[in-house]
Amino acid sequence: FEAISGNKITDDALNKSIALYNENRRLIAELYDLRAEAPHKVLTFELFLLMRASNIMEVSEHSQMLREYMAGIRECDRPVRDHVRVVVTGAFCEQPPLSLVRAMENSGCFIVDDDWVLGNRYQLEPVAVGDRPMEALVDAYLGKTVATASRYEEGGDKGMYLVNQVRERNAEGVIFAAASFCDPALLDRPMIQDVLTRENIPYTAFKYAENTGQIQVIKEQTGTFADSIKLWGVQ
């Protein structure tokens, strides 16, 4: 890494980087909280673009972009719509097309949490800044991180992270949206669906690919799902 970057990797440099990324994750968490609080203001296709930008921008520049977006969105006036609140899960692998994200919102769903661009939300707590920054990074990756299909979970609580996510975000249902070739997500889905059924949480599921021809079909499916929640509360 030193040869590639031309920079000496020191403890001070690592601590500085850790602090910058801690702040970036804090701002991302604030953005997600703001969307859950006012999803009619923080449209998910905008959040999705902000998250994708984090993969190509210098971290402090991205943090400033997040600050400016949240400051502007708090002052804007957007109409409140009669949408249902949903959590989208399973899309951590191949990122969904932007048209798919917009289609879900336009079908009558406020997405109040998701698992795309998961890398910059992987750690649930700040990484420690101190005398042993490399060990702190290792501990952070091996310690308290998000639950996802590609990460082994010990014990019998598989799927409860999603139930807690639904409850914390005051969501009304779950949409499983997995890339058509993502075996970990597709393997997890039936197990997690059993947990949602037990907890009486409505859900629907589809697979997607980089194919714009399928978007209308998915929009109709998620729209029907939203209508069923409005009418009956459960499927």
Side-chain angles (χ1 to χ4, degrees):
F1 286 152
E2 288 178 339
I4 292 171
S5 67
N7 297 310
K8 182 71 174 176
I9 298 177
T10 64
D11 286 351
D12 287 343
L14 285 174
N15 278 321
K16 180 179 179 181
S17 180
I18 288 171
L20 289 173
Y21 279 93
N22 281 343
E23 173 65 4
N24 188 253
R25 281 190 295 272
R26 185 194 69 78
L27 290 167
I28 288 172
E30 182 181 341
L31 175 62
Y32 269 71
D33 289 343
L34 180 58
R35 180 184 58 172
E37 177 186 339
H40 65 288
K41 285 191 173 184
V42 183
L43 303 181
T44 288
F45 83 89
E46 295 177 348
L47 179 144
F48 182 66
L49 290 174
L50 284 168
M51 295 294 285
R52 295 294 295 271
S54 69
N55 288 332
I56 59 174
M57 293 182 66
E58 193 275 327
V59 62
S60 60
E61 293 179 1
H62 184 252
S63 293
Q64 183 58 28
M65 177 183 286
L66 293 174
R67 294 187 190 94
E68 292 173 358
Y69 175 81
M70 287 189 285
I73 213 69
R74 286 187 171 100
E75 299 298 324
C76 79
D77 185 18
R78 286 175 164 174
V80 178
R81 302 186 185 278
D82 184 24
H83 287 4
V84 300
R85 298 168 60 91
V86 302
V87 173
V88 176
T89 190
F92 60 89
C93 179
E94 178 76 12
Q95 298 302 291
L98 182 60
S99 56
L100 177 57
V101 177
R102 300 194 70 162
M104 284 189 284
E105 283 195 307
N106 292 336
S107 71
C109 297
F110 278 140
I111 301 170
V112 294
D113 215 332
D114 57 69
D115 63 353
W116 44 59
V117 198
L118 200 56
N120 56 14
R121 303 172 60 214
Y122 193 67
Q123 286 119 326
L124 296 175
E125 296 179 352
V127 181
V129 174
D131 296 334
R132 301 171 69 87
M134 187 64 73
E135 286 82 351
L137 287 169
V138 172
D139 289 343
Y141 275 101
L142 296 179
K144 192 172 182 182
T145 53
V146 297
T148 182
S150 59
R151 175 176 173 267
Y152 174 71
E153 292 180 71
E154 188 174 4
D157 293 331
K158 192 172 189 63
M160 286 308 298
Y161 77 95
L162 185 57
V163 172
N164 294 332
Q165 202 174 25
V166 168
R167 291 170 176 166
E168 289 170 4
R169 296 300 192 187
N170 195 27
E172 300 165 90
V174 171
I175 295 176
F176 287 94
S180 59
F181 55 82
C182 184
D183 290 340
L186 297 175
L187 178 64
D188 257 18
R189 191 172 75 188
M191 294 183 283
I192 296 176
Q193 285 176 344
D194 286 345
V195 176
L196 295 179
T197 299
R198 186 187 70 207
E199 299 292 330
N200 199 32
I201 297 173
Y203 63 84
T204 190
F206 60 80
K207 294 183 289 184
Y208 65 86
E210 291 287 347
N211 180 356
T212 57
Q214 68 180 171
I215 300 301
Q216 184 59 36
V217 175
I218 291 173
K219 182 178 179 181
E220 291 174 0
Q221 178 181 341
T222 55
T224 301
F225 177 63
D227 289 341
S228 71
I229 292 176
K230 291 176 187 178
L231 290 172
W232 301 293
V234 296
Q235 289 179 290

